Amino acid sequence: MENEITRMPSIGEKAPSFEAVTTQGKIKFPEDYKGKWSILFSHPADFTPVCTSEFMTFGSMAQEFEDLNCQLVGLSIDGLYSHIAWLRTIKEKIEYKGMKNVEIMFPLIEDISMNVANTYGMVQPGESTTQAVRAVFFVDPKGIIRTILYYPLSLGRNFQEIKRIVIGLQTADNFGVALPADWQPGDDVIVPTAGSCGTAKDRMEDKTGEMTCYDWFFCTKKLSKEAVESKLGK
Ligand code: BEZ
């Protein structure tokens, strides 16, 4: 429809449902991923350098995401045969930063109609009207969007940060905590405020020795890397 304005999905909302053709057959998203975490991400175009470096990186890390019970789903506004040819070129011809023979086993959606890209706010006209930006939607096992990243065409994503986000979301859910700036597994975590853990005075005078309080609203506690790792993928 002309001039139709599609609202972009937001954190905390159900991921909009769609069916699509991919390099691994048809999928229904997010329904096919119920009970798993998933990452729906877009790239601007096949056969472009930044995207190739990203796919080689993501493809090389696929098992690490599998171990987190997290499935990857790519998308661009290219056709299926372009996707297939590009992925074959990556596997057969490109060696980059020690990565070679990288086989992309996760589905890559063809979206020539731009239906999915428009629904997810992946086409951002200030950047391009014909290519998707580098969007990343983190969807939980119930199909709820939990984090969204958007990067411009010229900047490749940080895949260690993408993995840290999945680990962080799973840790926050499993332990009922929040995570401070630059948190990594093994670092102290933030104890929730708002009555869940005694009064502000109790917290400041914690006798258990488990908490460190910097002020009444800012208390942390230890959470071991082993404890975090025991819950990952759950
Ligand atoms: C790239 O992936 O290299 C790229 C794609 C679209 C615009 C600019 C760069």
Side-chain angles (χ1 to χ4, degrees):
M1 205 186 299
E2 211 178 324
N3 291 332
E4 188 183 5
I5 296 172
T6 315
R7 217 187 118 260
M8 283 167 138
S10 303
I11 291 175
E13 291 179 357
K14 195 122 186 83
S17 180
F18 64 84
E19 289 183 26
V21 172
T22 84
T23 49
Q24 303 286 327
K26 282 191 181 163
I27 62 166
K28 189 163 167 53
F29 189 91
E31 289 79 358
D32 290 348
Y33 298 87
K34 200 170 165 215
K36 295 174 185 287
W37 288 80
S38 56
I39 294 178
L40 173 66
F41 70 101
S42 57
H43 69 275
D46 300 344
F47 293 101
T48 52
V50 179
C51 301
T52 299
S53 70
E54 291 190 318
F55 263 67
M56 293 188 75
T57 307
F58 231 172
S60 301
M61 294 173 73
Q63 186 58 48
E64 295 172 48
F65 285 92
E66 187 74 42
D67 293 345
L68 293 169
N69 187 28
C70 182
Q71 305 294 308
L72 311 177
V73 182
L75 174 148
S76 79
I77 300 166
D78 292 292
L80 189 61
Y81 295 108
S82 166
H83 284 344
I84 291 169
W86 180 46
L87 298 187
R88 187 183 301 144
T89 302
I90 287 176
K91 177 169 166 22
E92 293 178 357
K93 295 203 182 141
I94 303 194
E95 182 170 350
Y96 172 69
K97 285 197 165 175
M99 297 179 280
K100 64 175 181 179
N101 296 321
V102 177
E103 183 156 15
I104 304 300
M105 304 295 286
F106 56 79
L108 175 50
I109 294 169
E110 71 152 8
D111 192 29
I112 299 177
S113 65
M114 300 197 200
N115 274 342
V116 180
N118 281 327
T119 302
Y120 274 81
M122 292 166 169
V123 182
Q124 304 196 357
E127 189 70 351
S128 171
T129 52
T130 55
Q131 297 177 311
V133 296
R134 301 181 196 281
V136 192
F137 287 81
F138 298 76
V139 178
D140 75 12
K142 292 186 176 137
I144 304 296
I145 297 170
R146 299 291 300 279
T147 302
I148 304 171
L149 303 174
Y150 289 111
Y151 281 55
L153 303 189
S154 57
L155 178 61
R157 287 160 277 207
N158 182 326
F159 290 86
Q160 290 306 324
E161 172 62 359
I162 288 173
K163 183 176 170 186
R164 191 189 76 100
I165 289 171
V166 177
I167 293 172
L169 290 169
Q170 293 184 2
T171 301
D173 285 2
N174 279 307
F175 293 95
V177 295
L179 304 169
D182 297 333
W183 175 87
Q184 294 286 347
D187 292 350
D188 290 358
V189 298
I190 293 176
V191 182
T193 40
S196 58
C197 209
T199 64
K201 188 165 173 291
D202 290 343
R203 287 156 56 89
M204 287 302 285
E205 292 173 1
D206 170 49
K207 300 275 188 311
T208 66
E210 283 177 12
M211 281 198 277
T212 304
C213 287
Y214 301 93
D215 205 331
W216 62 269
F217 61 89
F218 184 8
C219 294
T220 62
K221 67 175 182 183
K222 300 217 167 302
L223 181 60
S224 71
K225 193 172 180 189
E226 293 71 31
V228 169
E229 285 175 354
S230 73
K231 294 284 188 186
L232 294 181
K234 306 280 188 311

